[in-house]
Amino acid sequence: MGKFKSITLEWKEDRLILIDQRKLPSVEKYVECQTHEDVYHAIRDMVIRGAPAIGASAAFGYLLGAKEVLASSKEVFFDHMDLVKRRLSESRPTAVNLFWALNRMEKTLNTLRELDRKRLVESLESEALAIAEEDIEINMTIGKNGATVVRDGDGILTHCNAGALATVDYGTALGVMRAAVEQGKKISVYADETRPYLQGARLTAWELMKSGIDVTLICDNMAGWVMKKGLVDLVLVGADRIAANGDTANKIGTYSVAILAQKHGIPFYIVAPLSTVDLLTESGDGIPIEERSHLEITKIGDYQIAPEGVKCFNPAFDITPSSLITGIITEKGIARAPYDVSLKKMFE
Ligand code: MRU
């Protein structure tokens, strides 16, 4: 029986235990998933969020699905696994890591189809654990690759949370910051609060403070002024899906930050593992953008801040065109324009 534990998730005694990111930073509470349906709800309801973290959780959700029908006939087992994959795929639409992880789990299942069910499930468990363990290694490599663009004394602006909590551990954009600090560079981070879900205020500020990295929280609409004042040398953000031409979906507001960065001549980097690159989607136009409840805009917690019944538009992500992106930092190095060539090369 395998075991795994990181800040974001734990696999123990056939259960997936997730830190409840909805409750942070005020309360450290955990949610236990015993079925694939529990994992579906945990992803859909934002207990766990962030592209690589969603992918790893879905892999364990797939494994839990297999355990649910361990004793059934072969036919029932494989029909159930199709249903499990479909259900988990429906949890959130934008982060491609979800589909990447589910396809990887399904491939394991299909190549080992002839094994007896017990051994098949053991192999699925090894695969889910490998996805989790590899994610940390990949983030550390991304960190080293990305630290080359960070200079001692840099001010770095980030948007949303692309930290340990958004991955299995260490983080992507925040991983680059960690690696730079580990190399002895001094940095000052400006974290956008990231309306409406406040991942920057609640998660990025919390993570960086816990790691002893200098962080200043700003409201999203302050980013331009902070840049104008010369406090930002570099922008580092994560990604939920990168199309073949480099267009990148990330948390709503990223596009505005990229435009501001271009206006002020500040390098703007995307930091993401190759599992976030979707070569099958040609450009940003093909990336599905999740729309979320108007309540995220009209309320802060339980407090109503807008008139009851007001019309709202709440896209959870936006697309930053590749023309605004200085480079895409991955575990295979830094891709530069033309991205259709450089990204493809990383998969060779
Ligand atoms: O809605 P969320 O919180 O899942 O959105 C997360 C982001 O947009 C992150 O920036 C992205 O997943 C990169 S995480 C390394």
Side-chain angles (χ1 to χ4, degrees), residues 75-96:
E75 206 189 336
V76 170
F77 180 83
F78 284 104
D79 283 353
H80 181 73
M81 291 318 291
D82 288 344
L83 187 145
V84 166
K85 187 179 179 218
R86 218 173 318 126
R87 182 67 169 157
L88 288 166
S89 303
E90 286 162 1
S91 55
R92 291 190 75 190
T94 305
V96 77

mmCIF file of all heavy atoms in Angstrom, residues 75-96:
data_model
loop_
_atom_site.group_PDB
_atom_site.id
_atom_site.type_symbol
_atom_site.label_atom_id
_atom_site.label_comp_id
_atom_site.label_asym_id
_atom_site.label_seq_id
_atom_site.Cartn_x
_atom_site.Cartn_y
_atom_site.Cartn_z
ATOM 1 N N GLU A 75 -16.235 -6.723 -17.226
ATOM 2 C CA GLU A 75 -17.048 -5.804 -18.017
ATOM 3 C C GLU A 75 -17.519 -4.614 -17.173
ATOM 4 O O GLU A 75 -17.403 -3.450 -17.578
ATOM 5 C CB GLU A 75 -18.239 -6.580 -18.564
ATOM 6 C CG GLU A 75 -18.759 -5.978 -19.832
ATOM 7 C CD GLU A 75 -20.068 -6.619 -20.227
ATOM 8 O OE1 GLU A 75 -20.347 -7.764 -19.820
ATOM 9 O OE2 GLU A 75 -20.818 -5.933 -20.951
ATOM 10 N N VAL A 76 -18.028 -4.938 -15.985
ATOM 11 C CA VAL A 76 -18.513 -3.870 -15.085
ATOM 12 C C VAL A 76 -17.349 -2.950 -14.717
ATOM 13 O O VAL A 76 -17.471 -1.721 -14.705
ATOM 14 C CB VAL A 76 -19.156 -4.490 -13.806
ATOM 15 C CG1 VAL A 76 -19.433 -3.421 -12.748
ATOM 16 C CG2 VAL A 76 -20.423 -5.234 -14.164
ATOM 17 N N PHE A 77 -16.192 -3.549 -14.458
ATOM 18 C CA PHE A 77 -15.013 -2.780 -14.060
ATOM 19 C C PHE A 77 -14.655 -1.754 -15.143
ATOM 20 O O PHE A 77 -14.521 -0.553 -14.873
ATOM 21 C CB PHE A 77 -13.834 -3.726 -13.802
ATOM 22 C CG PHE A 77 -12.571 -3.025 -13.387
ATOM 23 C CD1 PHE A 77 -12.363 -2.666 -12.057
ATOM 24 C CD2 PHE A 77 -11.583 -2.705 -14.317
ATOM 25 C CE1 PHE A 77 -11.197 -2.015 -11.666
ATOM 26 C CE2 PHE A 77 -10.417 -2.054 -13.937
ATOM 27 C CZ PHE A 77 -10.223 -1.716 -12.605
ATOM 28 N N PHE A 78 -14.518 -2.206 -16.380
ATOM 29 C CA PHE A 78 -14.075 -1.283 -17.436
ATOM 30 C C PHE A 78 -15.150 -0.256 -17.793
ATOM 31 O O PHE A 78 -14.824 0.898 -18.085
ATOM 32 C CB PHE A 78 -13.571 -2.058 -18.667
ATOM 33 C CG PHE A 78 -12.198 -2.632 -18.418
ATOM 34 C CD1 PHE A 78 -12.025 -3.993 -18.154
ATOM 35 C CD2 PHE A 78 -11.082 -1.812 -18.390
ATOM 36 C CE1 PHE A 78 -10.758 -4.515 -17.898
ATOM 37 C CE2 PHE A 78 -9.814 -2.319 -18.130
ATOM 38 C CZ PHE A 78 -9.646 -3.680 -17.888
ATOM 39 N N ASP A 79 -16.434 -0.655 -17.726
ATOM 40 C CA ASP A 79 -17.511 0.327 -17.960
ATOM 41 C C ASP A 79 -17.463 1.410 -16.896
ATOM 42 O O ASP A 79 -17.608 2.603 -17.174
ATOM 43 C CB ASP A 79 -18.894 -0.355 -17.886
ATOM 44 C CG ASP A 79 -19.178 -1.137 -19.166
ATOM 45 O OD1 ASP A 79 -18.370 -1.013 -20.109
ATOM 46 O OD2 ASP A 79 -20.174 -1.886 -19.195
ATOM 47 N N HIS A 80 -17.224 0.955 -15.645
ATOM 48 C CA HIS A 80 -17.178 1.906 -14.537
ATOM 49 C C HIS A 80 -16.025 2.892 -14.736
ATOM 50 O O HIS A 80 -16.169 4.091 -14.483
ATOM 51 C CB HIS A 80 -17.011 1.140 -13.217
ATOM 52 C CG HIS A 80 -16.984 2.027 -12.010
ATOM 53 N ND1 HIS A 80 -18.103 2.661 -11.509
ATOM 54 C CD2 HIS A 80 -15.962 2.402 -11.191
ATOM 55 C CE1 HIS A 80 -17.780 3.377 -10.449
ATOM 56 N NE2 HIS A 80 -16.478 3.247 -10.228
ATOM 57 N N MET A 81 -14.888 2.386 -15.216
ATOM 58 C CA MET A 81 -13.721 3.262 -15.383
ATOM 59 C C MET A 81 -13.978 4.330 -16.451
ATOM 60 O O MET A 81 -13.490 5.454 -16.336
ATOM 61 C CB MET A 81 -12.456 2.449 -15.688
ATOM 62 C CG MET A 81 -11.973 1.612 -14.522
ATOM 63 S SD MET A 81 -12.036 2.463 -12.918
ATOM 64 C CE MET A 81 -10.768 3.699 -13.109
ATOM 65 N N ASP A 82 -14.761 3.992 -17.484
ATOM 66 C CA ASP A 82 -15.129 5.007 -18.490
ATOM 67 C C ASP A 82 -15.951 6.112 -17.831
ATOM 68 O O ASP A 82 -15.744 7.301 -18.068
ATOM 69 C CB ASP A 82 -15.985 4.377 -19.608
ATOM 70 C CG ASP A 82 -15.134 3.481 -20.508
ATOM 71 O OD1 ASP A 82 -13.887 3.600 -20.460
ATOM 72 O OD2 ASP A 82 -15.716 2.650 -21.238
ATOM 73 N N LEU A 83 -16.863 5.660 -16.985
ATOM 74 C CA LEU A 83 -17.745 6.613 -16.293
ATOM 75 C C LEU A 83 -16.942 7.507 -15.329
ATOM 76 O O LEU A 83 -17.154 8.721 -15.260
ATOM 77 C CB LEU A 83 -18.770 5.775 -15.524
ATOM 78 C CG LEU A 83 -19.918 6.423 -14.818
ATOM 79 C CD1 LEU A 83 -21.122 5.481 -14.919
ATOM 80 C CD2 LEU A 83 -19.605 6.687 -13.352
ATOM 81 N N VAL A 84 -15.986 6.894 -14.623
ATOM 82 C CA VAL A 84 -15.149 7.641 -13.668
ATOM 83 C C VAL A 84 -14.371 8.724 -14.412
ATOM 84 O O VAL A 84 -14.312 9.878 -13.987
ATOM 85 C CB VAL A 84 -14.167 6.674 -12.942
ATOM 86 C CG1 VAL A 84 -13.065 7.425 -12.224
ATOM 87 C CG2 VAL A 84 -14.937 5.789 -11.968
ATOM 88 N N LYS A 85 -13.808 8.348 -15.555
ATOM 89 C CA LYS A 85 -13.010 9.319 -16.324
ATOM 90 C C LYS A 85 -13.906 10.483 -16.793
ATOM 91 O O LYS A 85 -13.538 11.650 -16.674
ATOM 92 C CB LYS A 85 -12.352 8.631 -17.523
ATOM 93 C CG LYS A 85 -11.405 9.577 -18.223
ATOM 94 C CD LYS A 85 -10.708 8.945 -19.398
ATOM 95 C CE LYS A 85 -9.797 9.974 -20.065
ATOM 96 N NZ LYS A 85 -9.776 9.863 -21.491
ATOM 97 N N ARG A 86 -15.077 10.112 -17.292
ATOM 98 C CA ARG A 86 -16.002 11.145 -17.784
ATOM 99 C C ARG A 86 -16.395 12.104 -16.660
ATOM 100 O O ARG A 86 -16.365 13.311 -16.802
ATOM 101 C CB ARG A 86 -17.251 10.491 -18.371
ATOM 102 C CG ARG A 86 -17.749 11.213 -19.590
ATOM 103 C CD ARG A 86 -18.878 10.500 -20.299
ATOM 104 N NE ARG A 86 -18.692 9.067 -20.415
ATOM 105 C CZ ARG A 86 -19.561 8.134 -20.013
ATOM 106 N NH1 ARG A 86 -20.704 8.481 -19.457
ATOM 107 N NH2 ARG A 86 -19.312 6.853 -20.178
ATOM 108 N N ARG A 87 -16.726 11.525 -15.512
ATOM 109 C CA ARG A 87 -17.182 12.341 -14.378
ATOM 110 C C ARG A 87 -16.083 13.299 -13.916
ATOM 111 O O ARG A 87 -16.310 14.495 -13.755
ATOM 112 C CB ARG A 87 -17.586 11.412 -13.224
ATOM 113 C CG ARG A 87 -18.126 12.118 -12.003
ATOM 114 C CD ARG A 87 -19.451 12.766 -12.288
ATOM 115 N NE ARG A 87 -20.094 13.210 -11.078
ATOM 116 C CZ ARG A 87 -21.012 14.173 -11.045
ATOM 117 N NH1 ARG A 87 -21.374 14.785 -12.158
ATOM 118 N NH2 ARG A 87 -21.566 14.524 -9.913
ATOM 119 N N LEU A 88 -14.866 12.774 -13.737
ATOM 120 C CA LEU A 88 -13.771 13.625 -13.265
ATOM 121 C C LEU A 88 -13.436 14.702 -14.300
ATOM 122 O O LEU A 88 -13.113 15.836 -13.946
ATOM 123 C CB LEU A 88 -12.543 12.781 -12.927
ATOM 124 C CG LEU A 88 -12.671 11.928 -11.652
ATOM 125 C CD1 LEU A 88 -11.566 10.884 -11.583
ATOM 126 C CD2 LEU A 88 -12.662 12.800 -10.392
ATOM 127 N N SER A 89 -13.560 14.353 -15.590
ATOM 128 C CA SER A 89 -13.288 15.328 -16.663
ATOM 129 C C SER A 89 -14.236 16.513 -16.608
ATOM 130 O O SER A 89 -13.938 17.581 -17.131
ATOM 131 C CB SER A 89 -13.475 14.699 -18.043
ATOM 132 O OG SER A 89 -12.670 13.594 -18.192
ATOM 133 N N GLU A 90 -15.427 16.260 -16.028
ATOM 134 C CA GLU A 90 -16.437 17.322 -16.002
ATOM 135 C C GLU A 90 -16.264 18.283 -14.831
ATOM 136 O O GLU A 90 -17.023 19.235 -14.691
ATOM 137 C CB GLU A 90 -17.843 16.702 -15.906
ATOM 138 C CG GLU A 90 -18.303 16.071 -17.198
ATOM 139 C CD GLU A 90 -19.469 15.106 -17.004
ATOM 140 O OE1 GLU A 90 -19.941 14.944 -15.853
ATOM 141 O OE2 GLU A 90 -19.879 14.492 -18.010
ATOM 142 N N SER A 91 -15.254 18.030 -13.978
ATOM 143 C CA SER A 91 -15.160 18.841 -12.754
ATOM 144 C C SER A 91 -14.810 20.294 -13.045
ATOM 145 O O SER A 91 -15.420 21.202 -12.499
ATOM 146 C CB SER A 91 -14.169 18.221 -11.768
ATOM 147 O OG SER A 91 -12.910 18.036 -12.379
ATOM 148 N N ARG A 92 -13.825 20.542 -13.922
ATOM 149 C CA ARG A 92 -13.490 21.920 -14.333
ATOM 150 C C ARG A 92 -12.961 21.861 -15.778
ATOM 151 O O ARG A 92 -12.258 20.921 -16.128
ATOM 152 C CB ARG A 92 -12.457 22.552 -13.400
ATOM 153 C CG ARG A 92 -13.022 22.839 -12.003
ATOM 154 C CD ARG A 92 -12.083 23.675 -11.164
ATOM 155 N NE ARG A 92 -12.065 25.071 -11.553
ATOM 156 C CZ ARG A 92 -11.173 25.950 -11.089
ATOM 157 N NH1 ARG A 92 -10.237 25.575 -10.241
ATOM 158 N NH2 ARG A 92 -11.207 27.217 -11.476
ATOM 159 N N PRO A 93 -13.248 22.886 -16.575
ATOM 160 C CA PRO A 93 -12.929 22.755 -18.008
ATOM 161 C C PRO A 93 -11.585 23.301 -18.488
ATOM 162 O O PRO A 93 -11.119 22.907 -19.557
ATOM 163 C CB PRO A 93 -14.051 23.563 -18.666
ATOM 164 C CG PRO A 93 -14.377 24.626 -17.670
ATOM 165 C CD PRO A 93 -14.119 24.041 -16.314
ATOM 166 N N THR A 94 -10.957 24.216 -17.763
ATOM 167 C CA THR A 94 -9.859 24.974 -18.394
ATOM 168 C C THR A 94 -8.487 24.343 -18.213
ATOM 169 O O THR A 94 -7.724 24.202 -19.180
ATOM 170 C CB THR A 94 -9.877 26.445 -17.898
ATOM 171 O OG1 THR A 94 -11.171 26.997 -18.150
ATOM 172 C CG2 THR A 94 -8.828 27.277 -18.621
ATOM 173 N N ALA A 95 -8.138 23.946 -16.992
ATOM 174 C CA ALA A 95 -6.789 23.414 -16.740
ATOM 175 C C ALA A 95 -6.622 22.074 -17.454
ATOM 176 O O ALA A 95 -7.300 21.092 -17.152
ATOM 177 C CB ALA A 95 -6.563 23.243 -15.238
ATOM 178 N N VAL A 96 -5.687 22.039 -18.409
ATOM 179 C CA VAL A 96 -5.541 20.837 -19.234
ATOM 180 C C VAL A 96 -4.865 19.714 -18.450
ATOM 181 O O VAL A 96 -4.958 18.535 -18.824
ATOM 182 C CB VAL A 96 -4.790 21.175 -20.545
ATOM 183 C CG1 VAL A 96 -3.303 21.336 -20.323
ATOM 184 C CG2 VAL A 96 -5.078 20.140 -21.611
#
